[in-house]
Amino acid sequence: MKIESLDLPDEVIRFYLDSGIKELYPPQAQTIEKGLLEGNNMLAAIPTASGKTLLAELAMLKAIANGGKALYIVPLRALATEKFERFRSFSSIAIKNGGLKVGISTGDFESRDEWLGSNDIIVATSEKTDSLLRNETSWMQEITTIVVDEVHLLDSANRGPTLEVTLTKLMKLNPGCQIIALSATVGNAYEVADWLKAKLVLSEWRPTDLHEGVYYGGNINFRSSQKRIDAPTQDDAVNILLDTLKDGGQCLVFESSRKNCVAFAKRAGNKVSELLDKPTRRSLDEIVEQIVESGETEATNVLAQCVRNGTAFHHAGLNSAHRRLVEDGFRDNKIKMICSTPTLAAGLNLPARRVIVKSYRRYDPNYGMQPIPVLDYKQMAGRAGRPHLDPYGESVLIAKSYDEMAGLFDNYIDSGAEDIWSKLGTENALRTHILSTIVNGFATTRDGLMEFIESTFFAHQNDTWGIVEVVDECLDFLRDNKMLEGEVTLLPTVLGRLVSTLYIDPLSGAYIVDGLKKAENITDLTLLHLICKTPDMRQLYMRSNDYEIINDFVMSHSDEFAEIPPRSREIDYEWFLGEVKTALLILDWINEKSLEQITRKFNVGEGDVHAFSDIAVWLMHSTSRLAGLISPELSNDAVSKAVVLEKRIHYGASPELIELVSIRGIGRVRARKLYDNGLKTVADIRKSNLDKVSTLIGQKTAAKLFSEIGIHLKLSSDDSGKVSSKTMGSLMENEQMTFSDFEK
């Protein structure tokens, strides 16, 4: 099917023709034939790289040309950014006066983001979409096309319930809206399509053939052929990797843990480096330089050495800058191999000639090492084969025996992905969504609430009589904690509305409110422990040598905790110690301990520290709002303490640095250098000069700093190319700006 034959505006047709897309892939053509451009709901369950995103684009652009507005829902922030950058290219399509506009929203769960309403396409995570509904954002009712990327995540215990309830609400809010659901792996696609009232396109077609095999006995064994692999090393995976590179391909390797990822990248790099030419080495050196500049821990040096050798590792412990550099380096074919935990398979567009699933078992804290689901394997294998670059793609599992090889063929290669099942039927999943459903008026009685639940994917798969007791338990909990009132008509209280709009679990709200009321001496530690007690906070695991140290800390700071469970309740007390350990990580962060110190002490990565701090900022903001609501009942000024702590956690800084770190580009390390050298405020910097500031934080950063605070420098270059400055004292004196002018 030709692009120019589609029922689309001429400008859209021309855009795709100019992009080199002249003809649709077979599954894309099938979707068009089933009414994609006529407004029919669609579920496209087609392989990775088969053109799912193009289907969404065509539907969105058709809707916008007809005066509509599109919402594109993704599971991950990184994927949101990738899609946003792609959709921004539509600004040149003149199907609207003033041009087509694209917006993105992934954070700040208490914001309505009304400004996004001026955009034609809005990209958001499922959690952010849920929060926009909770905050009753007006433009949500204007949405005419909803795209749900990676819809198989309905099966996720963490993200699934939010995605499910959000879709249910959107279908009720906008009953005429077109829904386009996308996935590469849905076992029970017919069931999901039926729930969405969608036409189903189910296809195995790929633009590059996928060959799935198992390595054993020196060969990659496919169902109908073998490929011999030379063995220059004792490591099977390294040998398969080297074979890939010698054939001009790139490789993704999936490992079961971060530690194993790093170890393999280091081990493989020793051999991969021997295959690199000089231009590639120079390009890699440039990436290494950026890696070193954007990291502060020993892990930075390890990653830099791997990249220098043409390999890399990728997991959630890396900071965002390092993840981006690794991904871009791989896309540009400079980095030849990435060894990753399964995070990389969850939506990022990083295909490779060959995918090696080095370990098909993953650690489960309850059951030890367990085989991964087929769905996870299919997600990894689907990354094999770069469209328009590779003649084919290969995924390779590794077996140690013939019987294991036979089992891998049966259980993974020849097996379909598991059915996806709703995870909405537990109290932990339902509690928050029941409150938000009542707050937003989607239900005002118990019967109305059950009617709403009847519209969910859970009810589509199960009889709802089994969930009635859980619903009643949630309602009782919300009443007991003064978030709901009424038996017949369900009315949210002021506290209930606030908890819902703050986007926290009602149990988190109950813990925080109860703790604030019980605490006699509210300190930074009191508040940090309160947020670390909540189910919304990630928990650090206790290691054997932690118990004595943290228990001693608790004993010496016992008056700062709202409540300490008795040691006789061993499980509760151990969980409490884990909460304290997590609070101590945040405490080290705000007391300006270096990232190297924190990552070593708590055995985490830079990315983990930032993830903990992001959650803590959100929860501390919630704490300040909740404290403000119940402030007449509190003996301490918990509100002001929480407000200051929120800023300190955001910047990872002591109170005296807040003014400096609020300046864009001045992080806590640079702010400390300025402060310790007498430049303690913006006014101090304005009275200083560029040369002095440059010696502390570098010339480029200093120039940007002065620009940020409204001082326009007259810069010149000497013969060596170094930037120098004229004396600017009089200019500074004439600048009448205050901190509030540039704080934002």
Side-chain angles (χ1 to χ4, degrees):
M1 184 179 289
K2 302 289 187 183
I3 280 282
E4 55 200 16
S5 70
L6 300 180
D7 181 20
L8 290 167
D10 292 341
E11 295 86 351
V12 174
I13 299 288
R14 193 177 310 114
F15 173 85
Y16 284 106
L17 291 175
D18 291 345
S19 303
I21 299 174
K22 296 178 172 56
E23 193 168 354
L24 296 181
Y25 291 150
Q28 294 171 333
Q30 189 180 349
T31 310
I32 296 293
E33 290 166 357
K34 290 199 173 186
L36 176 75
L37 298 181
E38 280 74 59
N40 289 340
N41 290 357
M42 305 295 303
L43 169 56
I46 59 180
T48 300
S50 296
K52 293 188 296 294
T53 303
L54 178 64
L55 294 173
E57 293 176 3
L58 297 177
M60 291 191 298
L61 291 170
K62 176 69 179 288
I64 293 164
N66 292 333
K69 190 185 297 290
L71 175 65
Y72 196 104
I73 302 174
V74 295
L76 303 171
R77 288 188 179 188
L79 191 55
T81 302
E82 182 181 308
K83 297 302 180 186
F84 172 66
E85 292 298 330
R86 162 61 185 168
F87 299 154
R88 286 175 68 185
S89 64
F90 297 160
S91 60
S92 62
I93 302 176
I95 56 176
K96 277 194 65 177
N97 290 332
L100 192 150
K101 297 179 182 178
V102 182
I104 184 172
S105 183
T106 59
D108 191 1
F109 291 133
E110 201 189 354
S111 170
R112 280 194 173 95
D113 283 358
E114 292 288 2
W115 61 272
L116 278 172
S118 63
N119 292 289
D120 304 295
I121 299 175
I122 297 103
V123 183
T125 60
S126 53
E127 289 80 10
K128 179 59 184 181
T129 306
D130 184 22
S131 77
L132 291 170
L133 285 167
R134 294 189 192 197
N135 285 280
E136 301 178 351
T137 304
S138 61
W139 55 259
M140 293 294 283
Q141 299 182 50
E142 302 170 12
I143 298 295
T144 59
T145 304
I146 299 168
V147 181
V148 189
D149 210 347
E150 310 289 346
V151 74
H152 61 269
L153 288 174
L154 284 167
D155 190 69
S156 165
N158 295 325
R159 288 192 162 93
T162 295
L163 177 58
E164 179 178 345
V165 171
T166 299
L167 281 174
T168 304
K169 288 180 178 178
L170 286 169
M171 287 189 286
K172 285 187 172 294
L173 187 67
N174 303 323
C177 196
Q178 181 184 22
I179 295 177
I180 300 152
L182 309 173
S183 177
T185 46
V186 182
N188 52 336
Y190 289 96
E191 192 171 28
V192 178
D194 190 44
W195 174 56
L196 295 172
K197 297 179 176 59
K199 300 287 184 69
L200 175 62
V201 175
L202 197 60
S203 175
E204 293 298 320
W205 186 91
R206 289 170 49 100
T208 54
D209 290 338
L210 174 61
H211 305 153
E212 298 178 73
V214 180
Y215 177 86
Y216 171 67
N219 298 304
I220 300 177
N221 301 280
F222 302 101
R223 271 302 183 197
S224 57
S225 64
Q226 285 184 329
K227 181 176 287 188
R228 187 68 185 172
I229 301 297
D230 293 336
T233 77
Q234 298 297 311
D235 190 312
D236 293 336
V238 170
N239 295 335
I240 300 169
L241 164 63
L242 295 176
D243 179 81
T244 312
L245 303 187
K246 288 175 182 176
D247 198 32
Q250 288 174 280
C251 206
L252 287 176
V253 180
F254 289 103
E255 261 286 14
S256 59
S257 69
R258 297 181 185 183
K259 183 178 179 181
N260 290 345
C261 283
V262 175
F264 184 77
K266 290 166 67 175
R267 191 164 63 250
N270 294 329
K271 293 297 181 181
V272 172
S273 63
E274 299 172 4
L275 305 179
L276 303 176
D277 57 30
K278 287 184 179 180
T280 301
R281 288 183 182 279
R282 284 194 293 269
S283 298
L284 289 171
D285 286 342
E286 293 175 4
I287 300 173
V288 167
E289 186 177 338
Q290 295 177 71
I291 287 172
V292 173
E293 287 177 355
S294 54
E296 301 177 34
T297 67
E298 178 58 30
T300 298
N301 298 327
V302 175
L303 178 62
Q305 184 55 50
C306 288
V307 171
R308 186 173 281 111
N309 289 335
T311 66
F313 50 89
H314 188 291
H315 54 64
L318 294 181
N319 67 40
S320 57
H322 287 169
R323 287 199 296 270
R324 185 170 59 252
L325 287 167
V326 167
E327 292 158 13
D328 290 346
F330 191 79
R331 286 192 185 98
D332 294 339
N333 200 9
K334 303 297 187 291
I335 295 173
K336 304 301 180 182
M337 185 281 297
I338 295 177
C339 189
S340 173
T341 53
T343 54
L344 195 63
L348 282 179
N349 183 25
L350 281 181
R353 167 76 61 80
R354 187 176 277 162
V355 168
I356 303 172
V357 182
K358 192 169 182 293
S359 174
Y360 63 91
R361 293 186 175 91
R362 200 173 302 152
Y363 179 74
D364 184 302
N366 297 315
Y367 303 104
M369 296 301 289
Q370 295 292 307
I372 62 175
V374 179
L375 188 150
D376 287 7
Y377 162 73
K378 295 296 184 184
Q379 285 283 324
M380 297 175 197
R383 300 291 156 196
R386 298 169 299 176
H388 314 300
L389 293 175
D390 291 328
Y392 57 86
E394 291 180 349
S395 70
V396 184
L397 291 150
I398 298 177
K400 300 296 184 186
S401 69
Y402 181 85
D403 287 345
E404 185 180 22
M405 178 179 72
L408 291 174
F409 270 107
D410 291 342
N411 298 325
Y412 288 105
I413 292 175
D414 296 335
S415 185
E418 298 88 353
D419 289 352
I420 64 176
W421 287 90
S422 169
K423 299 299 190 294
L424 189 62
T426 66
E427 184 176 351
N428 286 344
L430 273 174
R431 187 170 52 226
T432 182
H433 296 299
I434 284 177
L435 178 61
S436 68
T437 299
I438 294 168
V439 166
N440 291 141
F442 284 98
T444 57
T445 64
R446 180 180 176 279
D447 289 344
L449 186 59
M450 291 308 302
E451 183 181 337
F452 177 85
I453 292 173
E454 286 286 350
S455 302
T456 64
F457 186 51
F458 176 89
H460 192 76
Q461 291 186 305
N462 306 274
D463 290 327
T464 53
W465 63 265
I467 204 176
V468 171
E469 185 177 346
V470 181
V471 170
D472 286 337
E473 288 174 356
C474 291
L475 290 174
D476 288 341
F477 170 85
L478 294 169
R479 289 191 192 97
D480 291 344
N481 286 279
K482 297 180 172 51
M483 297 180 195
L484 278 185
E485 294 175 336
E487 295 294 331
V488 179
T489 301
L490 302 174
L491 298 171
T493 63
V494 175
L495 174 61
R497 286 188 178 279
L498 180 57
V499 166
S500 182
T501 55
L502 287 171
Y503 204 74
I504 58 174
D505 188 323
L507 183 58
S508 296
Y511 279 155
I512 292 170
V513 169
D514 186 55
L516 288 171
K517 290 179 179 178
K518 285 181 177 177
E520 297 180 1
N521 175 33
I522 295 180
T523 65
D524 290 350
L525 179 61
T526 311
L527 296 174
L528 289 175
H529 173 253
L530 272 183
I531 65 171
C532 291
K533 180 184 175 70
T534 67
D536 285 308
M537 174 56 86
R538 291 173 54 183
Q539 284 293 339
L540 286 170
Y541 290 108
M542 293 289 289
R543 295 177 294 178
S544 56
N545 59 343
D546 289 333
Y547 290 92
E548 184 177 352
I549 296 170
I550 295 178
N551 185 65
D552 289 346
F553 179 86
V554 169
M555 292 301 99
S556 61
H557 294 80
S558 58
D559 62 325
E560 297 185 64
F561 296 98
E563 187 176 17
I564 301 176
R567 298 187 66 173
S568 58
R569 292 184 356 227
E570 292 184 13
I571 296 177
D572 290 343
Y573 190 74
E574 179 170 349
W575 193 257
F576 167 76
L577 293 180
E579 297 163 1
V580 175
K581 180 180 178 180
T582 309
L584 291 177
L585 183 150
I586 305 298
L587 196 62
D588 278 359
W589 169 247
I590 65 175
N591 286 333
E592 298 180 51
K593 293 290 174 61
S594 71
L595 279 170
E596 176 65 24
Q597 289 174 300
I598 297 173
T599 54
R600 282 184 178 275
K601 179 177 177 180
F602 294 97
N603 193 31
V604 296
E606 283 188 56
D608 297 309
V609 177
H610 292 302
F612 275 114
S613 65
D614 284 347
I615 300 170
V617 167
W618 163 46
L619 290 172
M620 193 56 69
H621 171 75
S622 300
T623 300
S624 70
R625 295 293 312 279
L626 291 168
L629 183 64
I630 65 169
S631 57
E633 303 174 53
L634 303 179
S635 57
N636 295 59
D637 189 9
V639 179
S640 60
K641 282 187 171 68
V643 168
V644 172
L645 267 179
E646 181 188 347
K647 291 182 179 180
R648 292 185 61 193
I649 298 168
H650 178 71
Y651 295 112
S654 302
E656 67 269 18
L657 295 188
I658 295 301
E659 182 175 345
L660 294 180
V661 292
S662 298
I663 307 170
R664 186 170 56 181
I666 302 300
R668 63 187 196 140
V669 175
R670 288 168 176 155
R672 176 53 63 190
K673 286 181 180 178
L674 293 169
Y675 189 92
D676 289 348
N677 284 274
L679 303 178
K680 299 183 177 183
T681 65
V682 173
D684 292 336
I685 295 171
R686 294 177 66 249
K687 294 174 185 175
S688 183
N689 59 69
L690 181 63
D691 292 333
K692 178 179 179 179
V693 177
S694 295
T695 61
L696 299 174
I697 61 174
Q699 290 177 326
K700 290 182 179 178
T701 306
K704 289 179 181 177
L705 168 58
F706 280 111
S707 176
E708 280 294 318
I709 64 177
I711 297 173
H712 306 288
L713 306 179
K714 296 179 180 179
L715 301 176
S716 61
S717 297
D718 58 22
D719 293 337
S720 66
K722 294 182 179 179
V723 178
S724 59
S725 66
K726 306 277 186 180
T727 302
M728 300 170 296
S730 59
L731 176 61
M732 293 178 188
E733 290 172 4
N734 290 330
E735 291 286 345
Q736 300 298 315
M737 295 185 69
T738 64
F739 176 60
S740 59
D741 290 326
F742 52 79
E743 185 180 22
K744 53 183 181 254

